[in-house]
Amino acid sequence: MPIPLFNSIASWLLKKRFHQIELFIKYPEEVQAEVLSQLIEYAEDTEIGRRYDFASVKNYQTFRERVPIISYEEIQPIIERTRKGEQNLFWPTSIKWFAKSSGTTNAKSKFIPVSSEALEDCHYKSGKDLLCLYLNNNENSQLFTGKSLRLGGSKEIYEDNGSFFGDLSAILIDNMPLWAEFSSTPSNKVSLMSEWEDKLRAIIKETTQENVTSLAGVPSWMLVLLNNVIEETGKNHLFEVWENLEVYFHGGVSFSPYMDQYKNLFPRKSFKYYEIYNASEGFFAIQDSNYEKDLLLMLDYGIFYEFIPMETYGTLEQYAIPLWEVQMHKNYAIVITTNSGLWRYRIGDTVRFTSLKPYRIKVTGRTKHHINVFGEELIIENAEEALKSVCIKTGAKIKDYTAAPVFMSGKEKGTHEWVIEFRKPPEKLDYFIEFLDNALKSLNSDYEAKRYNNITLKMPVVHIARENLFNDWLKSKDKLGGQHKIPRLSNKRDYIEELLHMNN
């Protein structure tokens, strides 16, 4: 199909979808209630449906009272049964795909079920909606005159007991509809290569010959690719490689620490950045404005949302509320019920609402990836904002980092210990540490209280990581490339001790 014709057809279809998006924006409670009703009715004859008598569940209140909130560990046995060939356990259609979770760097892997309904009505639908919202805001876009450079996971698809597992991105690429494959680069063969370093070279060789108009991938790994493109081509910036680039669609980790480095690579004010929020469990939210970074919660993807206020999370008083009961600016843990058969599942992420009409969110971190040993309640959002402001003050550029507590010992007070790999280190580390401490105080009153007169917490400790420390650490765990992420904050010292040992 000629590109101009493809461009016209695609634009027409995507703009048509925008009217459906406007519908769930206008009637969010009704749309979410309908999603829940359809999920329950569809799964009433499964093992889970019979266990909780879905046939008699007629409203959200009954659903909430009858079905418990669960973690992965609690549903792992039934997922393993499905991986070995049993079906109709938690979802009525056959489940043969499992996304091997890369949202954790623990040795133990999660296998998240991916149904055909989730592939079509959630993951691929979200890809079209991302383009729909972008085109709605940029009517003169030339996006479809070229291709999208996608950077996915570096794992191949593996077959086991008649089921298949791999990175979610690999599953999506392997099942990609023709419209998406036609408009993407590199080829599926290169995208699914398992060895990260070889894959990097192959991507550069293939994509630098293409007319790339957009980028899509995790910021940390995309930055590695783009810096290698600059080095390989000898160009000053990316527009000298791909002159028609207009937008970067990113997600997976916070963009704040990388923003300045991307601006150096894309020195045009017209270049745009669009954030997405997705995970192995589903696709949840999309930036729907050129300049506002809040994310529109997508309500018609076969996912029903609930939220646990973080002040009750993990306590005996823990409770969940539906979307229509949330409040602005409170921190919530997300609970989802999905068209892959996850029922009231805690995904481990935290968000806060910045708008209720429509429902827009900001991702604030992970329920497990925070530091709260001394009552300081330090979350990833605090850390990212603090590091961003410190880099502006000191001129430093950060590649990767992690932080963990140093526990009290006898009369010795506690502190936070950071390992930071810099692209450009600060001239004076002492100033960097002081600015970081002050920035965290200004962002987090609990941290400020614990730091007052060194009552509980001493000044943080920062170690400068050697070059490629974090990559080497990920490689040692067979988690190099694609969607894998560094654990930014941890209440334990497991990660940081391994990194410090490798840093010597």
Side-chain angles (χ1 to χ4, degrees):
M1 183 185 296
I3 285 179
L5 179 60
F6 180 80
N7 191 11
S8 299
I9 294 173
S11 297
W12 179 79
L13 289 171
L14 294 174
K15 288 175 182 177
K16 189 177 179 182
R17 163 63 180 159
F18 187 73
H19 297 299
Q20 296 172 311
I21 293 174
E22 288 180 316
L23 190 67
F24 77 65
I25 287 176
K26 190 174 182 180
Y27 303 105
E29 182 175 341
E30 292 84 351
V31 169
Q32 275 285 278
E34 184 180 2
V35 167
L36 179 61
S37 177
Q38 290 174 345
L39 291 171
I40 291 170
E41 182 180 357
Y42 199 51
E44 65 181 28
D45 290 327
T46 63
E47 182 175 303
I48 289 290
R50 293 190 296 271
R51 181 186 302 172
Y52 298 114
D53 191 15
F54 279 2
S56 68
V57 174
K58 303 303 180 185
N59 53 48
Y60 168 68
Q61 188 61 36
T62 305
F63 175 74
R64 177 165 60 180
E65 291 170 355
R66 194 173 293 177
V67 181
I69 295 172
I70 56 170
S71 64
Y72 180 80
E73 288 71 23
E74 292 168 293
I75 60 169
Q76 184 187 18
I78 200 169
I79 287 176
E80 286 304 306
R81 286 169 58 194
T82 303
R83 288 188 65 209
K84 291 176 181 177
E86 287 189 69
Q87 295 293 341
N88 204 41
L89 299 180
F90 46 81
W91 192 245
T93 60
S94 179
I95 301 280
K96 68 174 184 177
W97 293 100
F98 295 85
K100 189 175 180 181
S101 176
S102 54
T104 175
T105 49
N106 292 338
K108 185 178 179 181
S109 296
K110 296 179 181 179
F111 294 90
I112 304 299
V114 180
S115 68
S116 56
E117 290 84 359
L119 280 174
E120 193 63 38
D121 299 332
C122 181
H123 294 291
Y124 293 134
K125 186 177 181 179
S126 64
K128 289 180 281 189
D129 283 355
L130 176 61
L131 298 175
C132 169
L133 291 167
Y134 176 77
L135 289 175
N136 186 67
N137 293 327
N138 302 278
E139 292 186 355
N140 297 320
S141 168
Q142 297 299 303
L143 206 63
F144 291 122
T145 62
K147 294 189 174 184
S148 174
L149 194 167
R150 57 170 192 244
L151 182 61
S154 56
K155 293 289 185 185
E156 294 177 343
I157 299 293
Y158 299 95
E159 185 174 0
D160 184 30
N161 297 316
S163 64
F164 299 82
F165 66 92
D167 274 5
L168 175 66
S169 58
I171 292 172
L172 296 179
I173 290 168
D174 204 51
N175 290 277
M176 186 177 289
L178 284 176
W179 67 266
E181 188 173 345
F182 179 80
S183 58
S184 299
T185 188
S187 62
N188 285 9
K189 180 181 178 181
V190 170
S191 293
L192 293 173
M193 288 176 67
S194 59
E195 180 59 42
W196 169 248
E197 286 92 347
D198 292 341
K199 175 178 174 176
L200 202 61
R201 288 188 287 271
I203 290 175
I204 293 170
K205 182 179 180 180
E206 193 169 303
T207 61
T208 50
Q209 308 304 313
E210 295 278 8
N211 175 28
V212 174
T213 54
S214 66
L215 306 170
V218 175
S220 52
W221 294 112
M222 181 63 77
L223 194 59
V224 173
L225 170 64
L226 297 180
N227 281 322
N228 274 270
V229 169
I230 291 291
E231 185 177 336
E232 186 73 22
T233 61
K235 304 297 185 181
N236 295 308
H237 53 73
L238 271 305
F239 297 123
E240 292 182 355
V241 182
W242 301 300
E243 62 178 341
N244 298 315
L245 264 175
E246 59 178 84
V247 61
Y248 170 35
F249 301 111
H250 62 88
V253 299
S254 172
F255 194 52
S256 294
Y258 306 102
M259 187 64 185
D260 289 341
Q261 296 174 65
Y262 274 90
K263 284 183 176 179
N264 289 333
L265 292 170
F266 301 108
R268 281 182 193 163
K269 289 185 178 180
S270 60
F271 188 76
K272 296 176 180 64
Y273 301 88
Y274 264 60
E275 185 173 355
I276 61 173
Y277 173 31
N278 67 329
S280 298
E281 294 86 353
F283 200 112
F284 311 124
I286 301 172
Q287 180 180 328
D288 63 328
S289 164
N290 281 342
Y291 306 107
E292 297 297 326
K293 302 306 179 185
D294 304 353
L295 307 181
L296 178 68
L297 194 63
M298 308 303 285
L299 304 181
D300 63 349
Y301 286 177
I303 299 174
F304 179 77
Y305 295 97
E306 295 175 89
F307 303 88
I308 302 173
M310 279 306 289
E311 62 263 29
T312 72
Y313 185 86
T315 70
L316 294 175
E317 289 74 39
Q318 175 179 291
Y319 64 95
I321 58 175
L323 181 65
W324 50 89
E325 291 181 14
V326 300
Q327 298 176 26
M328 295 265 284
H329 307 309
K330 289 187 67 173
N331 218 25
Y332 293 101
I334 303 180
V335 175
I336 57 172
T337 292
T338 78
N339 52 6
S340 278
L342 297 175
W343 299 95
R344 304 198 81 199
Y345 176 81
R346 297 196 313 259
I347 63 172
D349 289 346
T350 60
V351 300
R352 59 183 168 82
F353 285 84
T354 58
S355 166
L356 302 183
K357 292 183 179 180
Y359 287 99
R360 290 195 180 97
I361 60 172
K362 282 192 175 180
V363 181
T364 55
R366 299 277 297 169
T367 55
K368 291 182 179 179
H369 293 183
H370 67 283
I371 303 178
N372 189 32
V373 171
F374 311 102
E376 67 273 46
E377 288 285 0
L378 185 68
I379 61 175
I380 291 176
E381 186 182 33
N382 301 151
E384 303 283 9
E385 284 299 313
L387 288 171
K388 181 180 177 181
S389 67
V390 175
C391 284
I392 291 171
K393 286 182 178 179
T394 63
K397 294 181 180 179
I398 291 175
K399 181 179 178 182
D400 271 313
Y401 76 90
T402 193
V406 175
F407 299 98
M408 294 178 177
S409 177
K411 294 183 179 181
E412 192 67 25
K413 294 172 182 175
T415 187
H416 290 173
E417 190 169 21
W418 298 70
V419 176
I420 303 177
E421 184 177 342
F422 292 96
R423 290 193 185 277
K424 179 184 176 184
E427 289 186 9
K428 295 185 178 180
L429 183 60
D430 288 348
Y431 286 170
F432 183 94
I433 295 171
E434 184 179 344
F435 288 145
L436 175 62
D437 185 49
N438 288 333
L440 291 171
K441 288 177 185 176
S442 69
L443 291 165
N444 185 317
S445 59
D446 291 320
Y447 178 86
E448 182 182 32
K450 303 304 179 291
R451 281 283 296 119
Y452 180 72
N453 284 341
N454 295 323
I455 290 174
T456 306
L457 283 173
K458 297 186 299 182
M459 182 74 79
V461 175
V462 175
H463 303 277
I464 297 180
R466 63 168 173 80
E467 187 176 0
N468 290 325
L469 172 66
F470 287 93
N471 279 9
D472 291 345
W473 181 69
L474 285 171
K475 191 173 184 178
S476 72
K477 296 179 175 296
D478 194 28
K479 292 182 178 292
L480 186 63
Q483 295 180 306
H484 300 293
K485 312 174 191 78
I486 301 298
R488 299 305 195 191
L489 305 177
S490 176
N491 254 350
K492 301 184 294 183
R493 292 188 56 81
D494 304 32
Y495 307 132
I496 204 166
E497 291 289 358
E498 292 179 3
L499 286 160
L500 289 170
H501 178 74
M502 292 179 69
N503 200 41
N504 290 332

